[in-house]
Amino acid sequence: MANQQAPPVQAAVQQLIYSDVASHFGTLSPIIGRPNVHSIRALENQCISKAVSIANPNAQNMGYAGIFMDRGEYAMSDPNPYVDPPNPGATPNYNVLDETGQILILDATDRAIIKAEHEAALILWSNHDIVHRVIKEAIDKAVPDQYKPSLTIGQRGFGNKSVRDIFVDLYDRYGTVTPDDIKNLTMNLYKEWNPSEPIETFLLNIETQQVFATKAGRPFHTYLLLEAALSAIKNTRQFKEELKEWNKDYPNTTLVQWHQFKSFWIKKYEEYERDRTTMQDGGYHGASNTEDDASSITSLNEAFVSLQTERSQQNLALQALTQQVQALSQLVSQQQASNAQQSVHSVPSNIQFPPAPPTYQQYAQ
């Protein structure tokens, strides 16, 4: 085992100090009154925001939010599942076995590598534990005592529950999703988007609807999230080429993961903003929209011509129908006059007219 080197990522692990983490995390806005799905989510959002801001070499995108976040929600931001680091124990394990199960004889270099790996693993576990304790204590202060589980007579608290289990319990007990909440989920999912609003804000709205749908036990399929987002992007009429590129790179949307979608469109939006800023700085305000504007005008003109044609055809049909009605009216008048003369001079007295129709008799009575 000689001549091995300790992994560089382990050498870069830094020990967190509890007081520093607690100071950085700060306090949470407390839940006022009886908890509900919205106040619990607001508390969870605060924890996510603060936990993400604490650097974690094992989850660079999401910090320590994976400690308590719903795994499905977490996967929307980071495809790599968060794994709680194991406690490596107080001392290194130098009993390394070979393929036959025999204990290897280690030299000084081997032992130094094992020691360095153990120290790095111990720091990872310790950092995880420190952040977890800080978050749990902050939640304990933010949730009124009467809404905490009963530990013993006259004492309430979260006991030895993990932060993840605390949120699960809060949602189970107080996070009932109302029918109105469920009704609004899909409506909010399909909100339109104006590119003047950062795309991150637009995507966050979709993720928020998925979170509430998950809490309600009715999570949306990823395909539906993508469909809603792509529909809003298409309706802006600003990303025609980007949509072509998306369809080329991802022809089967049912196989696309949300994090892939986010990564692609955040990058495209950054390019869009950069190009738009460049055009404005060069004095070409709105020039990037010329093609879309021309297309819009053409479409409007075509629609207007089509409407005029349709109305013209309707007017002609109405005129023809009016003429037919007038001609028929004249014919009926002439026929009635002729019938009247015949009835006076030539109708025999023994002719019996047929009875009135039943409907007529009914109204005549």
Side-chain angles (χ1 to χ4, degrees), residues 241-252 264:
E241 296 303 318
E242 291 81 356
L243 284 166
K244 291 179 182 178
E245 185 176 344
W246 167 263
N247 292 329
K248 179 181 177 181
D249 292 349
Y250 299 96
N252 190 349
F264 179 94

Side-chain angles (χ1 to χ4, degrees), residues 72-101:
E73 180 184 358
Y74 186 88
M76 297 179 72
S77 299
D78 191 335
N80 302 311
Y82 185 88
V83 179
D84 295 350
N87 185 347
T91 58
N93 178 20
Y94 295 111
N95 295 325
V96 181
L97 305 180
D98 63 14
E99 296 178 353
T100 64

Side-chain angles (χ1 to χ4, degrees), residues 90-129:
T91 58
N93 178 20
Y94 295 111
N95 295 325
V96 181
L97 305 180
D98 63 14
E99 296 178 353
T100 64
Q102 300 297 315
I103 296 178
L104 293 173
I105 299 175
L106 307 177
D107 59 22
T109 302
D110 296 331
R111 295 177 71 87
I113 292 174
I114 292 176
K115 181 180 180 181
E117 290 176 343
H118 175 267
E119 289 177 350
L122 188 60
I123 291 175
L124 286 175
W125 173 81
S126 175
N127 289 351
H128 174 93
D129 181 66

Side-chain angles (χ1 to χ4, degrees), residues 293-360:
D293 290 343
S295 177
S296 299
I297 293 172
T298 301
S299 298
L300 288 173
N301 285 334
E302 291 175 351
F304 181 70
V305 171
S306 176
L307 181 61
Q308 283 185 316
T309 302
E310 182 179 352
R311 288 184 174 178
S312 177
Q313 291 173 345
Q314 291 176 346
N315 289 335
L316 290 174
L318 183 60
Q319 291 175 4
L321 182 61
T322 302
Q323 292 173 355
Q324 290 178 4
V325 170
Q326 291 174 346
L328 287 173
S329 297
Q330 292 177 357
L331 183 61
V332 169
S333 298
Q334 293 173 358
Q335 187 66 38
Q336 287 177 339
S338 174
N339 290 342
Q341 292 178 354
Q342 291 179 6
S343 63
V344 172
H345 300 286
S346 61
V347 176
S349 60
N350 61 347
I351 294 294
Q352 298 294 322
F353 289 96
T359 53
Y360 174 81

